[in-house]
Amino acid sequence: MGLFDWISGEFIDVIEWIDNTHDTMVYRFNRQGNEIKYGAKLTVRESQVAIFVNEGQIADILTPGIYELETKNLPILTKLQHWDHGFNSPFKAEVYFVSTKRFTNLKWGTKNPIMLRDPEFAMVRLRAFGTYEIRISDPETFMLEIVGTDGEFTTDEIEDQLTNLILSKLPTVLAESKTPALDMARDYGIFGEYIQDHLSPYFDEYGLELTKMLVENISLPPEVEKALDERTSRQITGNLDDHLKYQSAKSFDNPNSTMSDMAGMAMGMAMAQQMANGMQQNQNQSQTQQSTPPPLPNQVAQYFVAINGQQNGPFSLQQIQDSIKSGQITQDTLVWTQGMSGWEKAKDVLSNYFSQTPPPLPPQ
């Protein structure tokens, strides 16, 4: 390599950052003494921005592209002018690369149960956990408020703080939603979006955007879950008597088992209870019948009478008796009442009422 090739090579200075990690949010370009040659090339790739810091202050924020670093505050430097300085440029500055990609699978979870009022359970304690995603939306705010002079800032350094932020606001968000605990479990997706909308303003203060909030599980205390399981089991069995009979019959497959003995006892108790219920029901019916007076005698039966070929009635027994005394109804008069298959003569149906009445006079 010739002298002039070596000298020209000293003027080439490329500043760039290729991120091989998945959790680095901010990276400071390492330069010995923070010295950058005048006219250096700065490459900013997609999903990055570069923050140019001069004399401790943010001078510019550069979006994706290729830039040539120049300043009018310093003279044009050449290799020959600074031969005595060992070719070290006096142009001192810092370049921070900020990743604007989305950082995923960050964990959050309640350390202690959250006490809430619930429309169904009155008061309930809930545990919840899930994941969330963020990206840097305001690089300058993020640098000033969070990073400072950290040369390599990763998600591990802020994840705990963001989790604490979520958990500090989560009880308020849950209380404001007024969503029953069982409905939260049904609509994790919708509930996650609700939490995201209400927590996003707090992330904005850090220069971050909460891009997604995922709820993976909302659980009740173990004793409440046990009670729900018992309630569900009772509903699944359906009719309790039928379920008991089925379990008893099933246990008989092994007559030597304890379950068989228990099933026999349970069946005996169930049969005794059914008999007691039946006796009590009959007793109640008997008491109900005794407390109700029988119908009046004259209203026991109603009769229809055929007079002059026409149906008349219905008549009570008292009316029938009066008609027999007056002669309107004779022994040959056809009568009918409920329970009879057809019309019959009055003497066959009402014979008791004709014994006190003399027969009709023979024809003259």
Side-chain angles (χ1 to χ4, degrees):
M1 178 183 294
L3 175 62
F4 289 100
D5 293 334
W6 176 74
I7 294 177
S8 62
E10 289 297 312
F11 285 96
I12 300 174
D13 193 3
V14 177
I15 302 174
E16 62 181 359
W17 175 46
I18 299 177
D19 184 15
N20 295 322
T21 70
H22 66 281
D23 60 350
T24 302
M25 304 181 74
V26 177
Y27 172 77
R28 182 176 60 202
F29 186 79
N30 291 323
R31 221 34 196 160
Q32 184 177 2
N34 294 328
E35 296 177 352
I36 300 175
K37 290 184 175 62
Y38 182 82
K41 301 296 183 180
L42 173 63
T43 302
V44 183
R45 290 176 169 78
E46 293 292 341
S47 74
Q48 295 178 351
V49 295
I51 296 181
F52 191 82
V53 179
N54 186 26
E55 297 182 356
Q57 295 183 348
I58 295 179
D60 201 356
I61 297 178
L62 307 176
T63 56
I66 299 178
Y67 301 88
E68 184 174 355
L69 300 182
E70 298 177 351
T71 175
K72 297 179 180 179
N73 298 326
L74 296 175
I76 299 176
L77 305 179
T78 64
K79 192 68 175 179
L80 297 178
Q81 286 176 330
H82 295 278
W83 188 276
D84 56 337
H85 293 285
F87 305 101
N88 290 325
S89 169
F91 181 35
K92 296 180 178 291
E94 296 175 312
V95 177
Y96 288 84
F97 287 92
V98 179
S99 176
T100 57
K101 71 178 182 179
R102 184 179 298 192
F103 295 92
T104 63
N105 201 33
L106 303 178
K107 307 293 184 181
W108 68 271
T110 54
K111 299 177 182 178
N112 298 303
I114 301 174
M115 179 70 73
L116 294 172
R117 296 185 182 275
D118 188 82
E120 185 171 356
F121 300 115
M123 290 183 293
V124 68
R125 293 181 296 117
L126 296 178
R127 291 183 180 272
F129 66 86
T131 60
Y132 62 98
E133 300 177 3
I134 59 171
R135 68 153 50 99
I136 299 175
S137 58
D138 188 343
E140 183 175 0
T141 300
F142 188 71
M143 284 288 299
L144 295 175
E145 298 292 337
I146 304 298
V147 178
T149 59
D150 194 339
E152 185 171 354
F153 191 89
T154 63
T155 56
D156 293 338
E157 300 179 58
I158 196 175
E159 188 172 0
D160 289 342
Q161 174 62 22
L162 296 180
T163 300
N164 292 334
L165 175 63
I166 293 173
L167 297 182
S168 67
K169 306 300 181 182
L170 187 62
T172 303
V173 174
L174 293 177
E176 291 178 351
S177 69
K178 297 181 180 180
T179 304
L182 297 183
D183 291 342
M184 292 180 187
R186 181 190 63 189
D187 299 324
Y188 281 165
I190 298 176
F191 194 62
E193 294 176 358
Y194 181 85
I195 298 176
Q196 176 183 342
D197 293 339
H198 285 71
L199 291 182
S200 292
Y202 302 103
F203 281 72
D204 293 341
E205 298 176 2
Y206 295 161
L208 296 172
E209 177 188 358
L210 180 60
T211 58
K212 184 170 291 187
M213 185 77 177
L214 299 178
V215 179
E216 297 182 8
N217 182 266
I218 297 178
S219 60
L220 297 167
E223 56 272 15
V224 178
E225 292 182 348
K226 182 179 179 181
L228 287 175
D229 292 340
E230 292 178 355
R231 177 179 175 183
T232 304
S233 299
R234 289 197 303 269
Q235 293 178 345
I236 290 176
T237 57
N239 185 278
L240 185 58
D241 291 338
D242 293 341
H243 181 70
L244 180 60
K245 294 175 182 178
Y246 168 76
Q247 293 293 340
S248 300
K250 186 177 179 180
S251 65
F252 289 153
D253 293 339
N254 186 6
N256 296 325
S257 66
T258 304
M259 289 299 298
S260 177
D261 297 338
M262 295 179 63
M265 293 174 61
M267 179 175 290
M269 293 175 63
M271 293 177 63
Q273 183 64 34
Q274 291 180 355
M275 293 177 62
N277 293 339
M279 294 175 62
Q280 182 66 32
Q281 184 177 3
N282 293 335
Q283 183 178 359
N284 293 338
Q285 290 179 353
S286 177
Q287 292 177 355
T288 302
Q289 292 176 356
Q290 292 177 2
S291 62
T292 304
L296 296 175
N298 292 339
Q299 297 178 353
V300 172
Q302 299 288 327
Y303 291 86
F304 292 88
V305 181
I307 300 176
N308 297 328
Q310 294 184 355
Q311 173 182 313
N312 294 272
F315 301 110
S316 65
L317 284 175
Q318 183 63 45
Q319 292 174 320
I320 292 294
Q321 187 176 3
D322 294 342
S323 298
I324 291 175
K325 290 180 179 180
S326 64
Q328 293 180 352
I329 297 177
T330 65
Q331 295 184 8
D332 295 330
T333 303
L334 297 177
V335 297
W336 180 88
T337 187
Q338 187 175 2
M340 296 175 56
S341 60
W343 292 82
E344 297 183 12
K345 292 182 179 182
K347 64 181 181 180
D348 297 329
V349 179
L350 305 169
S351 58
N352 294 335
Y353 295 96
F354 287 101
S355 60
Q356 301 175 0
T357 303
L361 295 174
Q364 297 294 331

